[in-house]
Structures are given as structure tokens and as C-alpha cells.
Amino acid sequence: MTEESFNHGGMIYHQAKQMGVHPTNVLDFSANINPLGPPVSVTTAIQRALPMIVHYPDSTQSEVKNTLADYFGLRSSHFLIGNGASEIIDLLFKALNPKRIVVFEPAFSEYKRAAKRHGIPVLQVPLWKTQDNLWRVQGKSAPNPTELYNYEMLKQSLRRYTLVLRTGDVVVLNIPHNPTGLCFHLDSWYLLAQEWMQQGVRVIVDESFLDFLSDETRYTAIPKATDSESLFVVRSATKFYAIPGLRFGFAIGSSTLFQKIERYRDGWSVNQLAQVAASAAYKDREFQRQTHQWLETERAHVVRLWEAHPKLTLYMGKVNFFLLHFKNTELGSQVEEFLRTRNIMIRNCRNFEGLGASFYRVAIRTHNENEILYKAITDYLDGCK
């Protein structure tokens, strides 16, 4: 598989090979991984579990299901465990067998890839008409760490697309939204989703980045999913707990559908180290507190660094990444190539419908690393005529 056929952040092995360096020498802002992780509790649990790799993994994932059930206050039967959120999406698409997948663009490319694997048509619809509709602060479009998203515009867009939905469709929502980092309050979309579900549409809500919000209860659809046969929430431990190399994701929803899925899926797709790591991670409340504190501080710092530069525009969301928009594609490409000479990666948004190659998604990392990136980019821009 080439990088072109699998366009995703975090392609560190491929990029390191091109740069001629070891992956540990690459500063990766292209993948939105928590720089504080993995937690010590997780690495300790992995070390203790190493002797168990001589056995097959627990195909019922009972320990980690019980941990998640305690964490979310739910029954363990409401959880479907997978080898990352990508496998969960794949399993849901196969089980739901929709007539179409409806994706609001720009969106994570895996939704369309998974649909293609199962031969399911995809209806791509724009979430907005122009970039100016992304942010609204006191009636004006502007990047700001305390932005008020134009929720009325969102409601209008979703209501407009209600007319094109059909019985048997599956709608995928992404909250927090990737790649913009915007978050949509539950009350900004759920009433419309209820209308969709009443006409035979199922809804999948990808909440893979929601752990980064200390006030996630305002946004999560989990309480709704456990009472519905048509609503499913997808979560991931990859980003918040920094374990993308282990892969761990899960869904919350109908125990009836999950029992059906368990009958035909690969029961050993979630390795034992991933199960142990996730179980330790969701018990580590102190790491969660430290992450929320770090992100609050660094988001504000990122805004102070980037908001005034005349040659680019910052779009700041609510989670651990942001968008940079260069005045044209050529300048963005020049900056990206310059960063490669410094062994730095950022994520070009060329395959995100509605954004394009002049946009770049950038992860928020440690204070020092954020400073390094800012200096590298501004040194280049300030040297341009």
C-alpha cells in the first residue's frame, strides 16, 4: 500500500525513510497524539503482561469491557471492542449493511475507505458552503480559542440534508470534527438525528477525540446510544492515551447488534497487550487531569503564537489540533518541503473535501515542540519576498 492510497497522518515510517533518518528523530505534528503519553500506568501494565503473549488474547475482552463499563457507568454488554476505531467502523458498516453511507465533508477518509471495502455507495455532502462559515465570534468569522461555532448554520445544513436521506442510510457524524477541531453540542444536532432515525436511518457518531475535552458531557451522544437500536458511538484510546501502535477502539450502543457482530468477527483481533493497556489507561484519572491542564495551557499558547502572522490564518478548534491556512497552495507546499529538511511533519489537507492543499492540520504537542514548529515556519515565511 502506497502513501498515496492511504493518506493519513502519522505516516512516520514512510516519511522517516524519505528523510533518511530514524523515526525517533522525526518531529510529528501530522498525527494528533497526546505528547504526554503513554501514561506510566499503561507502560507498567504492558511490562507486567508481557509473559502473557505466549497465550492467545481474551476473545471476549472481558477485563477491559468491565473497566469501560465502570468508567462510563454502563453495562459491559453495551461495548464492542476493536483493533482501533477503524476496525469498529468496519464492523458496524458490515453489520448495518446500509444502502448508502452519508458523510459530511470534510471528513476522516476511513469512512469512505471502509464503505468502499464493503461495496457501499457513499453520499458526500458539504457541512458548510464556505470557510467563512467555520467560525463565528460575536457575529464575525475569526479564529479564537473561545470561538462560538455558528450552530444555526450547522442546523440549517443538517436540516437541508434531511430531505435527501433515505430509509436504510447510515449517517456518520464526527464530533469533535476532524480536521477542524470544532465541537457540536448535542442539542445542536440530536433532535434532527431523531427525525432521521424515525425514518429508518442509522447514525454513527465518531467521538475519537472527545476525551480531550474536560466538559465532554455537553457533547457526547453516549447516553442516547445505550437507549437506541439506531445510534452508535465510536471511541478510540489511540489519541488520548498515545497508543496508536497497539490499536484500541470501541463502540457503545445496542447489545443486540453487538452480539450479532461477535458471532462472525475475528475474536482475536485485539491483542492482549492492547487490552491490558486500555484497561490501565481508563483507570488513570490523574493522567486525564494532567492532559486537560496541558491542553488548556498549550491551546492558549498556540493562539498567541500564530494568530497575528500576516502570511497565514489560524483556525483553532477545541481539541488537540488546529488548522493553518496559507495564502496559496504553492506557499503551503514550499513550507511543507522546508519542514521536511528539518525532519518535521505536518498534515496536508489535500484529501479533505472542502479544504484543499492550502490547509494544513497541525497537532498540539509539548510547549518546546510547539515553539520549534512556529520558529521553523515563521523563519521560512519571513524569508519569503
Side-chain angles (χ1 to χ4, degrees):
M1 181 179 292
T2 66
E3 184 186 24
E4 289 71 24
S5 65
F6 186 57
N7 198 333
H8 192 285
M11 304 287 285
I12 195 165
Y13 297 101
H14 175 85
Q15 294 294 334
K17 185 176 180 180
Q18 287 194 334
M19 294 171 180
V21 299
H22 192 272
T24 55
N25 293 324
V26 177
L27 189 49
D28 186 9
F29 289 88
S30 72
N32 309 314
I33 307 301
N34 186 348
L36 304 188
V40 173
S41 60
V42 167
T43 55
T44 300
I46 292 171
Q47 290 168 351
R48 290 175 178 169
L50 280 174
M52 299 303 294
I53 64 173
V54 300
H55 303 291
Y56 287 100
D58 177 7
S59 61
T60 67
Q61 308 98 28
S62 58
E63 179 183 351
V64 71
K65 279 184 180 177
N66 288 334
T67 297
L68 292 171
D70 289 342
Y71 182 84
F72 290 101
L74 303 172
R75 295 194 303 272
S76 61
S77 60
H78 284 298
F79 291 88
L80 176 70
I81 309 299
N83 185 260
S86 294
E87 187 192 23
I88 291 295
I89 292 166
D90 206 76
L91 290 171
L92 288 175
F93 282 8
K94 181 177 180 180
L96 295 172
N97 190 28
K99 293 180 179 178
R100 298 183 303 180
I101 300 294
V102 182
V103 176
F104 293 98
E105 297 286 5
F108 179 40
S109 61
E110 184 56 28
Y111 309 143
K112 288 168 286 188
R113 288 173 52 80
K116 184 176 181 180
R117 285 195 294 272
H118 294 289
I120 304 170
V122 177
L123 175 63
Q124 298 171 247
V125 291
L127 194 55
W128 51 73
K129 293 182 179 179
T130 69
Q131 279 97 26
D132 286 342
N133 280 335
L134 284 176
W135 284 263
R136 184 184 66 183
V137 180
Q138 296 178 349
K140 298 179 180 179
S141 297
N144 188 287
T146 57
E147 84 290 333
L148 296 175
Y149 183 74
N150 190 336
Y151 288 110
E152 286 307 313
M153 184 278 298
L154 173 68
K155 290 178 182 179
Q156 291 171 15
S157 293
L158 296 183
R159 185 165 294 281
R160 181 169 64 249
Y161 296 128
T162 298
L163 301 176
V164 303
L165 296 180
R166 306 170 186 164
T167 299
D169 285 344
V170 166
V171 172
V172 182
L173 295 174
N174 187 203
I175 305 169
H177 185 254
N178 178 17
T180 65
L182 293 169
C183 289
F184 313 131
H185 296 154
L186 186 65
D187 59 11
S188 70
W189 62 269
Y190 183 68
L191 289 178
L192 280 172
Q194 282 184 305
E195 294 181 17
W196 303 342
M197 290 185 283
Q198 288 169 2
Q199 66 183 60
V201 173
R202 277 76 56 85
V203 179
I204 296 173
V205 187
D206 184 352
E207 296 183 352
S208 291
F209 289 98
L210 200 55
D211 303 79
F212 285 97
L213 293 185
S214 58
D215 60 343
E216 65 172 88
T217 54
R218 300 173 60 196
Y219 305 93
T220 183
I222 287 174
K224 307 295 185 182
T226 54
D227 294 329
S228 173
E229 295 292 324
S230 300
L231 178 65
F232 304 89
V233 172
V234 176
R235 288 283 185 117
S236 169
T238 293
K239 289 84 175 174
F240 191 85
Y241 297 105
I243 53 171
L246 285 179
R247 312 293 300 138
F248 185 90
F250 57 95
I252 295 174
S254 164
S255 56
T256 302
L257 181 71
F258 293 169
Q259 289 170 7
K260 172 186 173 183
I261 291 174
E262 295 289 6
R263 286 197 291 269
Y264 64 72
R265 68 168 297 181
D266 174 8
W268 291 327
S269 69
V270 187
N271 73 74
Q272 195 63 26
L273 296 184
Q275 294 184 43
V276 167
S279 187
Y282 281 94
K283 295 174 183 176
D284 196 336
R285 301 286 183 163
E286 177 58 22
F287 179 78
Q288 296 160 18
R289 186 196 65 78
Q290 291 173 357
T291 295
H292 293 148
Q293 185 178 50
W294 154 76
L295 185 56
E296 181 181 1
T297 300
E298 282 307 305
R299 283 181 70 249
H301 178 63
V302 164
V303 171
R304 287 194 297 270
L305 282 178
W306 292 101
E307 65 179 347
H309 201 283
K311 294 186 178 179
L312 51 77
T313 302
L314 166 71
Y315 291 99
M316 175 60 75
K318 289 183 68 68
V319 284
N320 63 323
F321 54 88
F322 56 94
L323 289 176
L324 291 178
H325 184 213
F326 295 94
K327 63 182 181 181
N328 56 56
T329 300
E330 182 181 5
L331 179 59
S333 297
Q334 291 170 355
V335 170
E336 184 179 7
E337 288 304 313
F338 174 73
L339 291 177
R340 289 176 190 270
T341 68
R342 303 284 186 92
N343 300 337
I344 298 173
M345 294 168 57
I346 57 176
R347 170 69 156 91
N348 187 282
C349 294
R350 63 174 62 90
N351 71 324
F352 283 106
E353 297 285 340
L355 290 181
S358 58
F359 281 87
Y360 286 81
R361 192 192 65 197
V362 182
I364 299 176
R365 296 194 55 82
T366 66
H367 187 85
N368 182 57
E369 290 169 334
N370 294 331
E371 292 275 355
I372 290 172
L373 178 66
Y374 175 76
K375 187 175 189 308
I377 291 181
T378 55
D379 280 354
Y380 183 85
L381 292 177
D382 293 344
C384 295
K385 294 182 179 180

